[in-house]
């Protein structure tokens, strides 16, 4: 018992029908080394960080030793990748099991990059240090921004190289998630054409994520409705901070409403709704402005998988599902408007607010202004530093905004307080993330830790955050991200 690090596994997924997973142990690695451990996350899971920061902890994060109670599996799923349906599954991830916290909350503990599985196809099942640290940094930044996300508990290097275009340092990320149930998990179940198993999966997801509807007579329709709402809320949050997921395939959309799979994602600097960073997204399918529409498209695929459960009469089922899906754009629009109002310090609603907001965004676009820093400057009431703020159209817009602020009963101080909690002072800017990753790959972790420290309090307007406001040097080469496989 002295070896127990507080792991408390209960592996409900292994009690699902066999078709949903394959028992899989992580493939041992030659010499795992801990690169980063998320101490505060460990504590919130009821784990002891000192005990994880040990040889044994590192052996666990490297997949060489199983924590007590783990029953490792690789999960089956399918997905529409750039619009094309494929059977997939965890090709390089192994789920160690579900850890129950002392408060009774259930979290998946998954090793990403843990070796080949039944679903690896031609892949090696491994991951490189850069992309795993990138996921660590950005997922933790998202969490601090208040955006639902999977979390990152640790990254280890494996002591082995992985072969891509060049040899890269192999690494494993320990990912923590409310679950790894995806829209693609339901597509997989639907493709099996076994209604009983589909129903078992739906019941499982409802109990795990939406227990409040467990006993509803219309629970499968309600399940769809709840997922639609969570995804609408999630995607609004992405849009309000300028986050571009980059690979919104249906296998990368969770049932829990958490952001998952930080492959080619990145935050937008200059405001341009057409921004795409992913090197493989040549047609801009997953561009910033397309995210709400793609979210809706993915949810339509989710609805299709649930049709046989929603109603035995297919026509009726389609009608019910369509009505529910229509909630998505409504909820998204309402959320977005509310979020934008808050970003401008507006408490009440006026019909012309949408126009006021869109006029500002148009100005940002025309003057190639930085999205985050513009709202940051408005929040700090620092409109002197040139660029957009010195232009006549902005000054005219500002007069309208000031008049609008005058028409609400709250004071300017109250407005600025609202703006402060609605506009991050810092985001993980691409050039700063790259700088941290380059240093880490060369063995210097201090750059990453300073960045993580600033990102941990994104709504603080202190000097720590200020340091990360600087924009990248102008470049003719657009920033590109890669899937990290
Ligand atoms: P992603 O683009 O990360 O969402 O991954 C899409 C699919 O490819 C998933 O089924 C992954 O498990 C699989 N995959 C990605 N990288 C690898 C790899 N190196 N080896 C095996 N499978 C992989
Ligand atoms: Mg994925």
């Amino acid at each position: 018992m002295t070896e127990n690090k507080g792991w408390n596994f209960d592996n409900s997924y292994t009690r699902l029908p066999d078709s949903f997973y394959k028992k899989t142990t992580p493939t041992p690695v030659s010499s795992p080394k801990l690169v980063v451990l998320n101490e505060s996350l460990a504590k919130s899971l009821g784990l002891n960080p000192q005990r994880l920061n040990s040889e044994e902890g590192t052996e666990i994060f490297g997949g060489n030793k199983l924590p007590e109670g783990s029953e490792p599996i690789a999960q089956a799923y399918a997905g529409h990748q750039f619009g094309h349906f494929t059977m997939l599954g965890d090709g390089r991830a192994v789920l160690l099991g579900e850890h129950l916290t002392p408060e009774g909350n259930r979290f998946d503990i998954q090793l990403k990059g843990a070796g080949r599985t039944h679903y690896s196809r031609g892949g090696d099942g491994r991951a490189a240090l850069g992309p795993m640290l990138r996921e660590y940094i950005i997922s933790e930044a998202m969490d601090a921004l208040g955006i639902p996300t999977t979390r990152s508990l640790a990254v280890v290097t494996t002591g082995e190289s992985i072969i891509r275009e060049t040899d890269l340092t192999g690494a494993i990320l320990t990912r923590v998630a409310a679950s790894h149930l995806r829209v693609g998990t339901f597509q997989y179940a639907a493709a099996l054409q076994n209604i009983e198993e589909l129903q078992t999966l739906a019941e499982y997801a409802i109990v795990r994520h939406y227990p409040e509807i467990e006993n509803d007579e219309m629970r499968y329709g309600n399940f769809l409705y709840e997922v639609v709402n969570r995804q609408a809320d999630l995607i609004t949050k992405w849009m309000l901070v300028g986050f571009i997921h980059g690979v919104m395939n249906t296998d990368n959309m969770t049932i829990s409403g958490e952001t998952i799979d930080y492959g080619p994602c990145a935050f937008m600097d200059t405001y341009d709704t057409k921004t795409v960073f992913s090197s493989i997204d040549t047609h801009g399918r997953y561009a910033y402005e397309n995210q709400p529409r793609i979210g809706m498209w993915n949810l339509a695929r989710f609805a299709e998988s649930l049709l046989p459960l929603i109603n035995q009469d297919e026509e009726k089922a389609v009608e019910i599902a369509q009505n529910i899906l229509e909630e998505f754009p409504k909820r998204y629009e309402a959320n977005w408007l509310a979020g934008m109002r808050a970003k401008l310090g507006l408490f009440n609603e006026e019909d012309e607010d949408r126009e006021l907001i869109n006029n500002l965004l148009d100005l940002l676009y025309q003057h190639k202004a930085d999205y985050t820093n513009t709202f940051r400057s408005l929040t700090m009431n620092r409109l002197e530093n040139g660029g957009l703020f010195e232009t006549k159209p902005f000054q005219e817009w500002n007069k309208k905004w000031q008049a609008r602020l005058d028409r609400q009963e709250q004071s300017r101080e109250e407005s600025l307080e609202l703006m402060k909690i609605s506009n991050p002072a810092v985001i993980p800017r691409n050039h700063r993330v790259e700088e941290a990753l380059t240093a880490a790959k060369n063995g210097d972790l201090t750059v990453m830790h300073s960045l993580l420290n600033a990102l941990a309090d994104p709504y603080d307007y202190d000097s720590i955050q200020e340091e990360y406001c600087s924009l990248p040097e102008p470049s003719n080469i657009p920033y590109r991200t890669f899937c990290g496989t």
Side-chain angles (χ1 to χ4, degrees):
M1 281 313 273
T2 49
E3 288 298 285
N4 191 335
K5 292 186 162 32
W7 292 109
N8 180 21
F9 281 98
D10 171 53
N11 308 312
S12 62
Y13 213 83
T14 63
R15 300 195 280 273
L16 286 175
D18 290 348
S19 46
F20 289 119
Y21 63 90
K22 283 272 183 291
K23 286 189 177 160
T24 311
T25 41
T27 308
V29 297
S30 64
S31 105
K33 286 208 170 52
L34 190 62
V35 178
V36 56
L37 172 69
N38 192 334
E39 298 202 355
S40 68
L41 176 60
K43 278 188 211 145
S44 74
L45 292 170
L47 302 170
N48 180 335
Q50 278 80 46
R51 282 171 147 190
L52 292 177
N53 194 350
S54 65
E55 201 184 315
E56 199 209 4
T58 305
E59 292 286 316
I60 289 173
F61 294 135
N64 287 358
K65 185 180 159 90
L66 291 175
E68 196 183 315
S70 156
E71 292 174 78
I73 57 170
Q75 292 176 314
Y77 53 88
H80 273 90
Q81 298 191 302
F82 290 89
H84 303 285
F85 184 75
T86 322
M87 292 301 243
L88 297 161
D90 288 331
R92 58 166 170 170
V94 173
L95 181 69
L96 294 182
E98 301 140 35
H99 167 73
L100 294 180
T101 68
E103 297 78 33
N105 296 318
R106 183 181 295 269
F107 290 99
D108 274 9
I109 308 291
Q110 191 205 62
L111 301 183
K112 185 169 173 181
R116 284 181 53 77
T117 74
H118 177 78
Y119 310 103
S120 296
R121 297 173 290 169
D124 62 359
R126 293 299 186 191
L129 179 61
M132 293 307 99
L133 287 179
R134 199 162 183 282
E135 171 154 349
Y136 186 104
I137 296 168
I138 301 186
S139 64
E140 287 309 298
M142 291 286 272
D143 179 67
L145 284 163
I147 300 176
T149 176
T150 63
R151 303 285 304 273
S152 298
L153 181 61
V155 174
V156 296
T157 48
T158 58
E160 295 166 9
S161 297
I162 64 164
I163 304 156
R164 296 293 181 263
E165 274 154 28
T166 53
D167 279 11
L168 300 172
T169 305
I172 298 173
L173 170 84
T174 302
R175 178 155 76 179
V176 179
S179 86
H180 284 82
L181 288 166
R182 305 149 190 265
V183 166
T185 317
F186 282 85
Q187 291 183 288
Y188 171 85
L192 296 181
Q193 298 196 317
N194 177 332
I195 294 197
E196 251 174 57
E197 292 196 353
L198 176 67
Q199 186 168 11
T200 305
L201 184 70
E203 291 295 339
Y204 177 81
I206 290 170
V207 170
R208 194 153 169 190
H209 297 298
Y210 304 95
E212 62 282 5
I213 61 165
E214 198 178 333
N215 298 315
D216 292 4
E217 206 181 317
M218 311 286 278
R219 64 184 170 284
Y220 304 116
N222 292 352
F223 175 41
L224 173 62
Y225 178 82
E226 295 296 334
V227 176
V228 162
N229 282 345
R230 287 234 190 136
Q231 284 294 337
D233 294 354
L234 178 67
I235 295 172
T236 318
K237 288 185 169 147
W238 292 355
M239 297 300 281
L240 290 170
V241 298
F243 174 77
I244 302 167
H245 182 283
V247 61
M248 287 177 72
N249 295 333
T250 54
D251 51 303
N252 294 334
M253 189 183 236
T254 59
I255 297 306
S256 67
E258 288 182 343
T259 311
I260 196 170
D261 263 356
Y262 290 88
C265 69
F267 281 72
M268 171 168 73
D269 292 312
T270 307
Y271 181 76
D272 180 351
T273 59
K274 302 227 171 320
T275 305
V276 174
F277 291 118
S278 171
S279 58
I280 57 168
D281 191 2
T282 40
H283 299 289
R285 179 183 171 90
Y286 300 138
Y288 175 73
E289 68 180 357
N290 289 343
Q291 296 188 118
R293 199 174 53 74
I294 290 290
M296 171 91 171
W297 190 89
N298 289 350
L299 290 164
R301 305 289 81 73
F302 180 50
E304 281 165 7
S305 344
L306 293 179
L307 286 180
L309 302 180
I310 291 176
N311 202 295
Q312 281 177 346
D313 176 340
E314 197 180 326
E315 248 174 66
K316 260 195 203 144
V318 168
E319 196 189 321
I320 294 169
Q322 265 167 354
N323 281 334
I324 295 169
L325 283 170
E326 276 165 25
E327 274 302 307
F328 184 92
K330 285 188 215 154
R331 183 148 171 140
Y332 172 77
E333 282 299 319
N335 276 342
W336 184 83
L337 201 51
M340 276 299 188
R341 281 194 178 104
K343 282 172 89 71
L344 289 176
L346 303 177
F347 287 89
N348 62 348
E349 298 176 12
E350 283 189 10
D351 288 344
E352 296 76 27
D353 290 343
R354 180 182 290 278
E355 199 185 322
L356 185 76
I357 294 160
N358 284 333
N359 287 347
L360 175 66
L361 294 175
D362 286 345
L363 290 176
L364 257 69
Y365 175 68
Q366 284 157 23
H367 294 274
K368 296 191 171 18
D370 182 81
Y371 181 68
T372 304
N373 281 0
T374 301
F375 283 97
R376 183 177 197 275
S377 299
L378 294 178
T379 302
M380 298 178 84
N381 203 9
R382 265 202 217 157
L383 304 184
E384 70 280 359
N385 55 354
L388 171 68
F389 300 134
E390 270 166 19
T391 65
K392 207 158 179 158
F394 174 80
Q395 285 163 5
E396 272 161 26
W397 178 86
N398 192 19
K399 269 188 215 150
K400 284 189 198 147
W401 178 41
Q402 297 306 325
R404 172 68 179 84
L405 288 168
D406 286 340
R407 288 199 297 277
Q408 64 184 9
E409 59 186 52
Q410 285 80 4
S411 66
R412 287 303 156 94
E413 287 68 35
E414 286 171 289
S415 279
L416 289 178
E417 281 310 309
L418 176 62
M419 291 176 72
K420 250 182 147 177
I421 57 169
S422 312
N423 294 309
V426 64
I427 50 159
R429 287 190 188 277
N430 305 319
H431 65 299
R432 302 309 294 262
V433 174
E434 291 300 331
E435 171 189 73
L437 296 182
T438 303
K441 285 186 253 180
N442 292 325
D444 173 10
L445 296 169
T446 57
V447 185
M448 182 179 75
H449 283 295
S450 306
L451 175 62
L452 286 170
N453 189 35
L455 293 171
D457 296 301
Y459 300 101
D460 273 3
Y461 279 67
D462 277 335
S463 54
I464 308 176
Q465 285 75 25
E466 177 110 41
E467 213 187 303
Y468 289 92
C469 283
S470 58
L471 301 178
E473 293 293 325
S475 160
N476 293 327
I477 309 160
Y479 183 69
R480 283 281 166 263
T481 55
F482 301 91
C483 266
T485 49

